[in-house]
Amino acid sequence: MEREEFYKALLPGLPDDIAFDCLARVPLRFHPGLRLVCCRWRDLVTAPSFHRHRERIGTAEDLIFLVQAVVPVEKGGGSEEEEEEEKEGGAVCQPPVYGLSAYNATLGSWHRVAMPAPVPLFAQVAAVGREVVLLGGWDPASMEPTTEVRVLDPATGGWRRGAAMAAARSFFACAALAGRVYVAGGHDEQKNALRSGESYDPTADAWTALPEMGEERDECQGVAAGGRFWAVSGYGTEGQGRFVGAAEWYDAAAGAWRREEGLWEAGAAACVGVAGGRMWSVGCGGGAGGVREYEGSGRGWKEVAPLPVGMRLGPSPCAAVAVALGSAGEKVLVMAVETEGDGRNGRGAHGAWVLEVGSRRWTRTETPLGFTGFVFAATAVRL
């Protein structure tokens, strides 16, 4: 009797291996309910082996997490004072509210991630394994750069506080590489551009200082490509808004930064690392919109695809993230401003497009109104 109480079948009437396979085929959106059935189901569906099995049998789902400005879905939700001021033609000046959005690229669904505290404005996000690391940005209350780090396990929905960064920073380069999250550049509380960098190990919950870059780089872009962490472009304290063309990449073996010229041209673009160690740029570079691939030092960029119909040509910034969709191959999700003639979500709204890396074919992704806000950073996890 004691043995019978100790052991309960996963699904009555089925061998455990078959029950395990059945549970692995349940879509992620139902997993919160599965975790509530019993302790054994909870432990099973949150275990790494369970998600490895989902990968093996082809039921894993790709989740894209986006640091995004929240767009109110309903109009007229403000206070009486705000509505009266709007009627009189006055401006209601309030800071934007940011949230962490999640797009299921496998099923085409969107949802907002529950947060224990407000998301810092202009925070960065990167994925290591199945964990999502949210870090830096502006504290919503003080509007000052923060050292804060939060770590989400999408399999459990649980958050934990990570070890704080050594330096408060915002608008910095950030990317995940070889099990670590790298950050570099940005600016501090006094709006001074930074040369410093550090890397975070989520497993050890510890930061390691990097040597300083060769120059200050505020508003630089972070890219993991070719086994390297890149800090692309940016500008120094005295050169506010004058983006430089050079980039620096971190040589982990030598413990030093290497400078590379010619990675950035005038115009707004989003850099993203894709399969084969390549770096792509999406947007408007050098006055020409489109998707381009970096061919290496001294060789510059080559065109690989035009922008899709409905996506507005720069200078408005866009966000891009690459995701490998199993047998379907790798794709790049791009969030950008829609052209005014597109008219799907209103003027200035951001829409989503997916580019197949292999075929170079674009597909428009349905974007609900509540998820059409500006996207500052994005990352992808497979579960």
Side-chain angles (χ1 to χ4, degrees):
M1 183 67 178
E2 289 182 1
R3 180 177 178 83
E4 184 177 336
E5 289 181 356
F6 175 77
Y7 176 81
K8 292 183 179 180
L10 283 173
L11 289 172
L14 288 179
D16 272 3
D17 57 341
I18 296 177
F20 181 81
D21 195 67
C22 290
L23 291 174
R25 297 174 187 276
V26 176
L28 282 175
R29 68 179 182 273
F30 298 115
H31 284 204
L34 296 184
R35 297 198 298 267
L36 297 176
V37 171
C38 63
C39 292
R40 193 176 183 207
W41 278 31
R42 179 200 62 201
D43 294 341
L44 176 72
V45 301
T46 58
S49 58
F50 180 78
H51 293 283
R52 287 195 295 270
H53 185 67
R54 282 172 57 85
E55 177 75 31
R56 282 195 297 271
I57 64 176
T59 60
E61 298 170 36
D62 290 288
L63 302 177
I64 298 177
F65 293 89
L66 311 102
V67 176
Q68 184 176 40
V70 176
V71 176
V73 176
E74 295 183 3
K75 300 281 186 179
S79 65
E80 292 182 6
E81 291 82 1
E82 289 175 344
E83 292 179 2
E84 187 63 33
E85 191 170 357
E86 287 180 358
K87 290 177 183 177
E88 295 174 358
V92 179
C93 193
Q94 293 183 340
V97 175
Y98 273 68
L100 186 66
S101 303
Y103 172 62
N104 188 314
T106 305
L107 302 180
S109 61
W110 295 79
H111 73 273
R112 198 86 67 200
V113 179
M115 302 289 298
V119 173
L121 279 67
F122 313 117
Q124 285 285 1
V125 65
V128 175
R130 77 178 193 187
E131 291 190 314
V132 177
V133 182
L134 183 74
L135 65 169
W138 290 358
D139 182 285
S142 66
M143 293 297 172
E144 296 288 344
T146 178
T147 61
E148 187 175 284
V149 175
R150 306 178 203 168
V151 182
L152 168 69
D153 182 349
T156 66
W159 287 91
R160 65 177 172 85
R161 285 280 185 178
M165 293 187 290
R169 67 180 77 225
S170 60
F171 292 92
F172 54 94
C174 177
L177 181 67
R180 304 183 72 90
V181 177
Y182 286 82
V183 302
H187 67 247
D188 62 15
E189 298 93 331
Q190 285 76 44
K191 302 296 188 291
N192 293 313
L194 301 172
R195 298 169 56 195
S196 62
E198 47 190 318
S199 69
Y200 176 63
D201 181 346
T203 302
D205 191 28
W207 286 90
T208 302
L210 301 179
E212 290 194 335
M213 294 185 290
E215 58 187 295
E216 299 170 339
R217 295 186 181 274
D218 194 4
E219 294 196 53
C220 50
Q221 289 199 40
V223 187
R228 301 169 175 175
F229 169 58
W230 296 78
V232 179
S233 189
Y235 52 82
T237 305
E238 301 302 321
Q240 287 290 319
R242 297 194 294 273
F243 288 86
V244 299
E248 295 183 59
W249 58 271
Y250 182 61
D251 185 339
W257 289 92
R258 308 298 185 192
R259 182 183 174 90
E260 197 154 320
E261 301 288 346
L263 258 81
W264 187 260
E265 299 172 358
C271 293
V272 59
V274 297
R278 297 169 292 169
M279 186 191 306
W280 280 13
S281 168
V282 183
C284 177
V291 182
R292 301 183 302 160
E293 181 177 313
Y294 183 60
E295 295 194 285
S297 180
R299 297 193 297 274
W301 298 83
K302 70 175 182 180
E303 297 288 338
V304 295
L307 292 181
V309 174
M311 183 183 292
R312 182 175 170 183
L313 189 64
S316 299
C318 60
V321 62
V323 56
L325 296 174
S327 59
E330 189 175 35
K331 299 184 180 182
V332 175
L333 176 83
V334 179
M335 290 288 295
V337 176
E338 302 169 341
T339 58
E340 292 185 19
D342 188 67
R344 297 196 182 192
N345 293 306
R347 184 177 181 182
H350 287 68
W353 289 262
V354 173
L355 173 64
E356 294 181 5
V357 173
S359 67
R360 312 292 201 262
R361 184 173 64 87
W362 287 97
T363 303
R364 180 65 187 268
T365 296
E366 188 63 33
T367 314
L369 180 59
F371 298 92
T372 58
F374 169 70
V375 172
F376 184 75
T379 194
V381 171
R382 167 167 280 194
L383 283 178

